[in-house]
Amino acid sequence: MFQGFSQGAIDFLWGVSFNNNREWFTEHRQEYLDLLDKPLRELSQQLLDAMREAYPQEGFTQHVSRIYRDARRLHGRGPYKDHLWLVIARPGDGLIGRPAFYFEIAPNYYSYGFGYWDMSPETAAKHRARIDRNPEELEKLARRLKKSKFTLYGEEYKRPKGDVGALLNPWYNRKRVGASFDDNCGGVLFTPALYDDILEAFRFLMPYYRYFDSLTGDPSPKEAP
């Protein structure tokens, strides 16, 4: 049962950030297992169970990040991550081609929400075409998000794809789309209530998840992406 993270977990993440080497990690490996890996997996399982119960038709599964970086993609960085995350999504090849819910913990913040991080150019074109055809559907969601604690985020195109008005332009002109809540480490992060906050957030964001998840079923747009 998830009981919250601890100040020790944050201290460990700061430690690995400043001492990103095998010797330091080997000495502190048990701290990683006890303070981060275990509670993160407990949190992920509880969220998965609740999401499966609430939305059985979605076929959700979970993924918990490992602390080890891919040796092929170090690019001069140390071998360990200083931030960890869990993901709730449909089964598939990683997170390619579908949206997902997430929670992330780092030395100086924690975050949760949903994201479509690897939206293909074709799916992004379908997204824009749907807005062109029926902007009212996303307008309702955009206004709802503006009134919430969540912030729209995602990489924007260097050259905007079009002008559909102030409300929807931030959605229309992004390569990747997501909504997140970020906070400083402390408070509810160190309590079991974090689970309730995240689950409530996932339920609030379900209409956004379904909106983007359904894009793959849209007809191909007439114009090339």
Side-chain angles (χ1 to χ4, degrees), residues 61-92:
T61 187
Q62 65 175 324
H63 173 74
V64 177
S65 67
R66 302 175 68 217
I67 197 168
Y68 309 98
R69 285 198 177 111
D70 188 334
R72 299 167 298 178
R73 298 183 176 89
L74 293 181
H75 305 299
R77 298 175 297 177
Y80 306 104
K81 300 166 187 166
D82 64 358
H83 59 288
L84 300 170
W85 61 90
L86 65 85
V87 164
I88 305 292
R90 289 186 292 104

Side-chain angles (χ1 to χ4, degrees), residues 21-30 80:
N21 59 74
R22 190 176 302 277
E23 292 75 19
W24 187 91
F25 180 78
T26 299
E27 183 179 347
H28 295 84
R29 184 173 182 275
Q30 195 60 48
Y80 306 104

